[in-house]
Amino acid sequence: MLTKRIIPCLDVKNGRVVKGVNFSGLNDVNSPIELAEFYSSCGADELVFYDITASSDGRKIFTDILRETAKNVFIPLTVGGGISNLNDFERVLNCGADKVSVNTGAIKNPDLIPQAAKLYGSQCVVISADVKRVNNKFHVFARGGRDDTEIEAISWIKKCVDNGAGEVVLNSIDTDGVKNGFDLEMLKAVCDVVKVPVIASGGAGSIQDFITLFKNIPGVDAGLAASIFHFGEVSIKDLKLQMQKNNIPVRL
């Protein structure tokens, strides 16, 4: 059985890691390079880097921070933010990323995912979907959760996977930063329609939230979190030991 992955998420704005609630109210946390090195040394399975204002600002993702991080971190690195064409894929991969995450770019250009998958392989292409309930329906949001595209999320994610995305990061805007647990309903809906790895993002507030996630939605491959790791509320080592005690396969 494949081990479940624990993935810290670094949301980067103006060269600093920030964290908010429901995608707003951002507070400064730390240097992304220092945090990445710390997580790499204490048992994280992967890291996700998001330049969270690249799409909304209409600019390219940071590269200097990414290069410096990749030199000092030896676990898989997924990078997203402002990815709009194949040149962006090339640039980010050349800076040391292992996987490239797209959201707004794939919404604007439906051919981006199949083109990137063909050129770099599906294992490099991650669809990162920012999803929120609107009138009891799951809608995809663009530009860092700012714009409601009115696209139905579950069918959209399935289409992206059918077109070549090799992994899904499901970001629930409803539960982001709230710390009341992952969005199990939303995650189950996605896991029911795709066969690629699904990463749960948004809502982790305790070790028990991860246990509940993996016990209730066995199709989820990884749990992603930010603030509980950044602020020392949960250590990755303690989390993994509790997962092991609960018979959840994990890399110690």
Side-chain angles (χ1 to χ4, degrees), residues 179-201:
K179 299 183 181 179
N180 284 334
F182 291 96
D183 199 326
L184 302 184
E185 178 191 21
M186 192 183 290
L187 286 160
K188 184 177 187 306
V190 172
C191 289
D192 284 346
V193 299
V194 301
K195 301 301 181 187
V196 299
V198 173
I199 298 171
S201 172

Side-chain angles (χ1 to χ4, degrees), residues 230-249:
H230 297 343
F231 301 122
E233 297 165 35
V234 170
S235 80
I236 293 174
K237 180 180 179 181
D238 289 345
L239 168 57
K240 288 190 167 186
L241 287 172
Q242 287 301 314
M243 288 171 62
Q244 185 182 54
K245 286 181 181 179
N246 281 272
N247 299 314
I248 298 168

Side-chain angles (χ1 to χ4, degrees), residues 4-21:
K4 302 298 185 182
R5 293 171 286 153
I6 300 301
I7 306 175
C9 178
L10 308 184
D11 293 327
V12 180
K13 179 181 181 182
N14 299 326
R16 298 285 294 178
V17 176
V18 296
K19 190 68 189 88
V21 177

Side-chain angles (χ1 to χ4, degrees), residues 203-219:
S206 67
I207 287 176
Q208 186 57 48
D209 290 336
F210 286 89
I211 305 300
T212 300
L213 168 69
F214 294 126
K215 289 285 190 182
N216 284 273
I217 317 288

